[in-house]
Amino acid sequence: MTSAPLLTARRLSVTGVVQGVGFRPFVHRLAVRLGVAGWVRNVAGTVEIHLEGSAAQCDAFAAALTREAPPLARLHAVTAADTGVEGAAGFTIAESADADTLRPVPPDVAICAQCERELFDPHNRRYRHPFITCTDCGPRYTIIDALPYDRGRTSMKVFGLCARCATEYAASDDRRFHAETVACPDCGPRVWFEGADGEGSADGDTAILLAATALRMGAVVGVRGLGGFHLAADATNDAAVRRLRLRKHRDAKPLAVMVRTLDQARAVAHVSKREAEALTSSARPIVLLRPRDPSPLAPSLAPRLDRVGLMLAYTPLHHLLLEAAERPLVMTSGNVSDEPIAIGLEEGRARLRPLVDAFLMHDRDILSRCDDSVLRVAGAHDILLRRARGHAPAPLALPVPAPQPLVAVGPHLKNTFTLAREGAAFVSPHIGDLDGLEALEHWQQAYRRYQALFRVAPAVAVRDLHPGYLSTRIAEELGLSRVIAVQHHHAHVAAVAAEHGVTSRVVGLAYDGTGYGDDGHTWGAEVLLADLSGYQRVAQLRYVPLPGGDAAAREPWRVALGYESQAGWQSEAFALAYHGVSHTLRSGVQQQVAHGVNAPLASSMGRLFDAAAAVLGVRRHASFEGQAAMELEALAGEQSAPPLPFPTIEADGRLHLDPVPLLTALGEGRRHGVDVGLLAARFHESLVEASVDLARLIAGSFGIDTVVLSGGTFQNARLLTRVARRLTEARLRVLTARTLGPNDGAISYGQAAVASWLLSHE
Ligand code: ZN
Ligand code: ZN
Ligand code: FE
C-alpha cells in the first residue's frame, strides 16, 4: 500500500530589503519550479510566504530562497513555523496587507546589465527606450508616492500598460514579472528636447540627438533625470565648463562628470579595484578619483584639487545621451549655487531657464528630490561624502530603540533629518545648507513625504544646541510636546558609535568646521569621553579669536591673524597670510581681535586648516567650506614627513592642543624656502601624531578600548587612514563612519540615537 506524501503547511516570514526588489516574483517562480502551492504577500516591511506541499518540498524551498534571492534583495532574517493547511490551489501573489507598521521604501537602483544590453540591442523591442527597467533596476524612492509599492502608488500610474507589457508583467517566468516600473516605447514615458525659451521641440531619439549636438557645441543643457535636474556640459570643453560655473554661481567647487562605461572612466582617471566596485555598484555614486595626467578633462572642473568626481550613467536616458555625445559630460545638480535641486517640469523651466541653453525633458514625474551620492575610497575605508541616491531611504538600526516616534531635525549645514520609530532610523537624503526660504521649503516637503512614506508621526523633536539655527526654529515650530537639544560634536561621535551598535563609552574625536559648544563658544576639534547618555570634553584645540565670525570661514587670513595674536603679533612667520590684504583692513581686524569685538572664540579643526593654508600662502580666501583643507591634502599627497611641534597644555581640567608653534614652524619653513607640499605633509603628520597621542593617553587613563573618528575633517583621507592605522596598531578598536559619512550629514542620526537613549532611560 502506498499513501500520498503528507501535506504540510509552513509560514515563512522574511525581513530585510525585500520590497521593490523583485522578491515576490522571485518567490512565485521558485514555488512554481518546486511545485509547492500557497501565496506570498508583503506585510508591513516583511514578506510573508505560505507554503503547502511535502516537508521535503518546503525544506527545499527555504534553502533555495536564501541561496537564489534576487541581486538587490538583502535577507536579514527568515523565520519558519508550521501552520494550518488552507488547501491552496497553485501559488499566487496576494494583495499587500496594508498594516500600520514599519515599511522600508527601496532606494533607486541603477540600470542593470541585462536592461543595458537590451537598450542597445536593435532586435529588442525596448531598443533605445529611455525608460527601460525590470524588477532588478530602475527608479523606486524618487517615484513612490505611498506604500505598499505598486504601480498605482507611483508616478508610473499615468502610463497604462500596453498589451505586451501587461503580458510580461503577468508572466511568472519573465524578468519583468510584477516589475512596477515596466514600460516600453508604446506605453512608457516620453523624452523631448526644448529650447530654453520653451520653443521648438522634438521627441524620442531626435531629442537625444539634439541635446547631444548642443552639448558638443558647448551648450549647457538642463537634463531632467532620476532625482532631479542636472546641468550638463561637455566636460572636455573648458569654455563650456567655465560658462556653466558662471551661470550656476559656482566659482570653484568641483563639478561631477558622467561617463557611460567603466572603460571610459579608466580613460580619464585611475580606478582601483575597490573604486571600480563602487562605480559599478547599484547605487552608482560619484566617486572621487585621481585624474590621468595629461587629462582630456577640462582644467576648471576641479581647480587645484587632485581628484575629480566621476560617475557612470545610471539611467537608460543617461546612456543614450552619453552615447550620442561621445564624450564625458559634466552632470551637476540643477540649481543655482547651493539651493535645492529642481525636480518639477515647470519648476525646472522657471528656475533653470537663466542657466541653460536647452532642456532634455521627460514626463515621468519625480516625487522625491534626491541628489547624487558622493564617495571617496581611502585605503580600507569608504568615505561617504554625501548620502543620497542609491542609499536613502534605506533604514539604519538604532542601538537603543526610540520609545516614542521622533524627528531629529539635523544641523545647519549639509542638513539631513532623521525619522525614528522603534529600532529603525530613516535618514533623509542630503538636503543641503539650511539657508533661505528654498531650503526651508525643501526641508518641509521632504519631511512631509518621509512622514507619509514611513507613517511616522513624531511625538518628540530633537535639535542642535545652537539657539539661533534655522533647524532649531524648525524643531520648535513643529508643535511637538517635547524638544531635546543635543550638542553637535556629541551627535557626531554618537552617530558613528551608533551605526556600529556601540553603546559603551568611547574616546570620540570630533573634528570639523563648526558646532555650537555648551560653553557658548564655537567647537570643532574636540576629544570627548562619550556614550549615548552624554559626554565629557577632555581635550580641545586651544581657543582662537575668529575676527568677523562667519567671515573668518571665507577668509583664512583672518584665522591666521587670530592665531598671530596669540604669537604676540611679531611673528614674521605669518607674513604670507596677508599677501594682498590692505594695510587698513588688516589693522582694523587687528583692532577687532585686540578689543574682542565680533571675534568669537573657536576650537575648530577646519579653521586650523584654513590658518595653515593662509600661512603657507596657499589660500587667503575660500569660496566653499573645506576648500583650504582639500588643497592642503592635495599638496601633501602621499609623501612621508616628520611632524612639527604641536604641544599639549593642561588647563581648566582639560588638555589643550596649541597650534601656535605649529603654524609658526610652517611659516618659518616657507620663509626659508621649504617645499610647500612637504610642509603640507608635515602639517598633516602633526595632526596625526597629536590625535593618536591624545586618544591613546585618554583611552589609557580611563580604561577605554574604543576610539571613534568623526566630523567632516575626517573626509581627509590622509588624516583618516593614518590616524586609524596608528590607533589600530596601538591595539585600540577604531570606529569610522561607514553607512553615513563622517560629516554633518550624519548629525541627525546621532541626534536620534542620543534622544532615543535619553527617552528610554527616564
Ligand atoms: Zn533591469
Ligand atoms: Zn508597453
Ligand atoms: Fe560637524
Side-chain angles (χ1 to χ4, degrees), residues 110-116 132-138 175-176:
I111 181 172
C112 72
Q114 290 195 67
C115 284
E116 189 186 323
I132 185 170
T133 64
C134 70
T135 50
D136 293 337
C137 76
R175 200 169 95 250
R176 294 191 171 84

Side-chain angles (χ1 to χ4, degrees), residues 488-489 492 512-515 711-712 743-744 747:
H488 186 92
H489 302 93
H492 266 309
D512 64 1
T514 179
N743 68 26
D744 282 7
I747 288 286

Side-chain angles (χ1 to χ4, degrees), residues 41 51 72 83 108 117 135 147 153 171 193 227 284 346 374 378 399 424 459 482 501 513 549 561 667 690-692 757:
R41 64 174 186 180
L51 299 177
L72 295 172
T83 184
D108 300 297
R117 256 194 309 279
T135 50
L147 286 184
R153 295 182 188 87
F193 178 84
R284 296 276 159 98
E346 280 314 316
V374 184
R482 175 116 180 242
L561 189 142
S691 303
V692 170
W757 192 98

Side-chain angles (χ1 to χ4, degrees), residues 119-174:
L119 180 66
F120 292 109
D121 172 6
H123 304 294
N124 191 280
R125 72 185 193 90
R126 291 189 181 82
Y127 177 57
R128 303 189 66 81
H129 177 51
F131 302 93
I132 185 170
T133 64
C134 70
T135 50
D136 293 337
C137 76
R140 299 286 189 275
Y141 167 65
T142 52
I143 60 152
I144 293 176
D145 192 33
L147 286 184
Y149 170 53
D150 55 40
R151 192 184 187 95
R153 295 182 188 87
T154 72
S155 56
M156 286 298 290
K157 68 168 180 250
V158 296
F159 304 101
L161 290 183
C162 70
R164 290 168 81 183
C165 284
T167 308
E168 290 169 318
Y169 182 88
S172 70
D173 58 348
D174 194 282

